Amino acid sequence: MSDALQLFRTAARQFIQKEFVPHQARWRQQQRPDAEAWTQAGERGILLTDVPKEYGGGGGTFAHQAVVVEELAHAGVQFGAHIHSVVAHFILASGSEAQKRNWLPRMARGELVGAIAMSEPAAGSDLQGIQTTARRDGDHYVVNGSKTFIANGSHAGIVCLAVKTDVKAAGPKGISLLIVEPKDLPGYRVGCPLEKVGMHAQDTCELFFDDVRIPAANLLGPAEGRGFFQVMEKMGYERLAIGVAAVATAEQAVVETTKHVKERRLFGKPLIEFQNTRFKLAECKTEAHIARVFLDNCIERFMAGAVDDTTTAMAKYWLTDCECRIVDECVQLHGGYGYLVEYPVARMWTDSRVHRIYAGANELLKELIAWSL
Ligand SMILES: Cc1cc2nc3c(=O)[nH]c(=O)nc-3n(C[C@H](O)[C@H](O)[C@H](O)COP(=O)(O)OP(=O)(O)OC[C@H]3O[C@@H](n4cnc5c(N)ncnc54)[C@H](O)[C@@H]3O)c2cc1C
């Protein structure tokens, strides 16, 4: 942290508290944020904080992005800003100058909402198994197939789509990334938001492609067949961002639970006066602190360009496992109230569970870590 980052944090917190928090119940009911929330966030400079200013971004570092993710997590707001950022970083890393100038400024203003479309009904962990195809036809690709679990799906104005451009190529070599602008695009269809057990305010949808024509100029990178490697290159960014959300959630769960056990009385005394309560919260606070130190170390190394995929996999796996242990204990200490949606800890419990599954299931990440042994 620095003074400048602290100022940025204060501004982000005030914005989130004023413009997002009051609408959470409605967002959960409608299963997505308001569309205006994106342009408001753009106006207030909390989108693409770590994208260079020449492309409309905030010109900051991953630390700015971490501040936004933390503040959203502390406030219990589900808003897919980090997925939006990951799309921008795909474009930044692999896009041509014309592509960057075309898409990034509009993403920074929140006019184009970013989504990443990799997963399919038969291929989640196994990205190489995707079946959505893009066949070259003149100066277009013709895309057929479907994607599932796509966060920001219903608002998406720009989709980073994984396709097979060469169905005969072995292993990862047939996969490419195409940028799709779905507005008024014939053959493109978004399903209803999927009914999830948590993250109710986030639109997670199926996407369908039926002979959808995408300009060949929307291929990301200089040639076909680079998609798998482009994804792997940017996974560290997404995994670290999830680690940030995990630690912020765990810390907030300890804060909420400490408050609750001081107020809640049973057997004639506050719940915190039972040794079990104190010991359990002491364990949670200690684990959250260890997680914070590990995370901060990863962020520092990431910003210095000195973190490897093994470490970001460790961060995502360990920090999200740790988060789920802590939040579950905090639910237990809340008793029945911890099971009521109106209590933040209950929402943390359901919202955090998916952290262990997406952006590489934790088991897959252990395999990746094991390769380094
Ligand atoms: C709320 C939500 C949001 C999501 N957002 C997006 C999105 O925006 N874009 C997108 O493309 N996808 C998204 N996903 C999909 C997500 O990335 C996948 O669900 C995830 O990769 C797991 O794939 P799967 O669901 O097909 O499970 P499977 O691949 O069937 O895996 C099932 C389980 O098998 C185990 N497993 C997997 N691989 C291994 C291994 N190598 N060794 C041992 N065990 C293993 C793990 O326990 C895993 O959980 C989202 C999912 C959810 C639930």
Side-chain angles (χ1 to χ4, degrees):
M1 291 304 293
S2 63
D3 288 348
L5 272 172
Q6 198 56 53
L7 281 176
F8 177 68
R9 182 187 289 286
T10 306
R13 181 175 301 171
Q14 283 169 352
F15 168 72
I16 290 165
Q17 286 297 332
K18 183 162 173 268
E19 305 295 344
F20 286 2
V21 170
H23 307 299
Q24 284 312 290
R26 189 168 48 76
W27 286 13
R28 283 197 292 274
Q29 208 172 18
Q30 71 193 20
Q31 295 179 297
R32 58 181 172 186
D34 295 331
E36 306 78 62
W38 285 97
T39 42
Q40 282 177 321
E43 273 164 31
R44 298 299 281 269
I46 70 162
L47 300 179
L48 308 199
T49 55
D50 56 356
V51 164
K53 284 197 169 152
E54 58 179 309
Y55 301 121
T61 66
F62 184 78
H64 292 83
Q65 191 59 24
V67 164
V68 173
V69 173
E70 274 182 6
E71 289 304 318
L72 289 168
H74 281 154
V77 171
Q78 297 304 325
F79 183 69
H82 87 268
I83 293 155
H84 186 73
S85 265
V86 177
V87 176
H89 279 274
F90 276 124
I91 296 170
L92 204 55
S94 306
S96 65
E97 192 58 25
Q99 289 175 330
K100 290 178 202 174
R101 295 207 179 272
N102 181 17
W103 292 314
L104 294 175
R106 287 187 285 158
M107 291 182 75
R109 292 195 294 270
E111 293 162 14
L112 288 182
V113 177
I116 305 170
M118 313 269 161
S119 303
E120 298 183 359
S125 306
D126 180 13
L127 179 60
Q128 294 183 36
I130 60 167
Q131 289 168 8
T132 297
T133 55
R135 178 179 50 82
R136 187 73 188 249
D137 181 25
D139 55 3
H140 280 76
Y141 286 101
V142 181
V143 176
N144 281 288
S146 67
K147 297 286 173 179
T148 191
F149 294 127
I150 308 310
N152 296 345
S154 67
H155 280 314
I158 181 162
V159 179
C160 181
L161 178 71
V163 289
K164 277 247 160 111
T165 37
D166 183 353
V167 288
K168 292 190 192 123
K173 290 188 186 146
I175 297 176
S176 303
L177 295 182
L178 287 180
I179 298 291
V180 178
E181 284 195 75
K183 192 164 184 283
D184 302 327
L185 190 61
Y188 174 88
R189 189 166 61 82
V190 182
C192 296
L194 298 165
E195 295 276 346
K196 308 189 292 299
V197 295
M199 290 203 168
H200 292 121
Q202 192 175 84
D203 43 328
T204 310
C205 306
E206 290 174 295
L207 307 181
F208 301 95
F209 299 83
D210 190 8
D211 282 333
V212 176
R213 294 183 73 80
I214 311 290
N218 287 20
L219 178 74
L220 213 48
E224 293 176 4
R226 309 274 174 95
F228 185 83
F229 308 100
Q230 289 164 332
V231 171
M232 291 305 124
E233 197 188 307
K234 284 290 146 209
M235 279 317 282
Y237 182 97
E238 185 172 8
R239 286 176 185 153
L240 205 50
I242 292 169
V244 172
V247 174
T249 304
E251 288 172 342
Q252 191 62 22
V254 174
V255 169
E256 290 288 339
T257 309
T258 306
K259 197 166 111 215
H260 179 81
V261 299
K262 285 181 177 173
E263 285 167 2
R264 179 76 176 158
R265 293 180 69 84
L266 57 164
F267 301 104
K269 58 184 181 182
L271 181 50
I272 195 164
E273 289 188 17
F274 291 85
Q275 189 188 56
N276 176 68
T277 309
R278 293 196 303 278
F279 279 19
K280 288 294 177 197
L281 271 175
E283 287 165 15
C284 289
K285 189 169 177 170
T286 307
E287 278 209 70
H289 185 73
I290 294 167
R292 165 63 60 190
V293 173
F294 176 35
L295 174 69
D296 282 352
N297 174 266
C298 291
I299 292 176
E300 269 185 50
R301 287 162 63 190
F302 184 82
M303 285 167 57
V307 80
D308 56 14
D309 290 344
T310 306
T311 308
T312 51
M314 285 178 183
K316 194 270 186 182
Y317 133 63
W318 195 84
L319 296 172
T320 58
D321 267 16
C322 178
E323 168 193 30
C324 288
R325 280 196 301 277
I326 291 175
V327 173
D328 189 72
E329 198 58 70
C330 288
V331 167
Q332 189 68 18
L333 290 174
H334 271 75
Y337 298 96
Y339 205 65
L340 300 184
V341 175
E342 68 177 278
Y343 278 73
V345 77
R347 298 197 299 272
M348 288 177 200
W349 191 55
T350 50
D351 292 348
S352 62
R353 185 61 183 82
V354 75
H355 285 168
R356 288 164 57 196
I357 296 171
Y358 62 22
N362 285 2
E363 294 75 11
L364 188 76
L365 299 184
K366 287 182 201 175
E367 287 287 5
L368 203 153
I369 297 160
W371 292 346
S372 71
L373 296 174

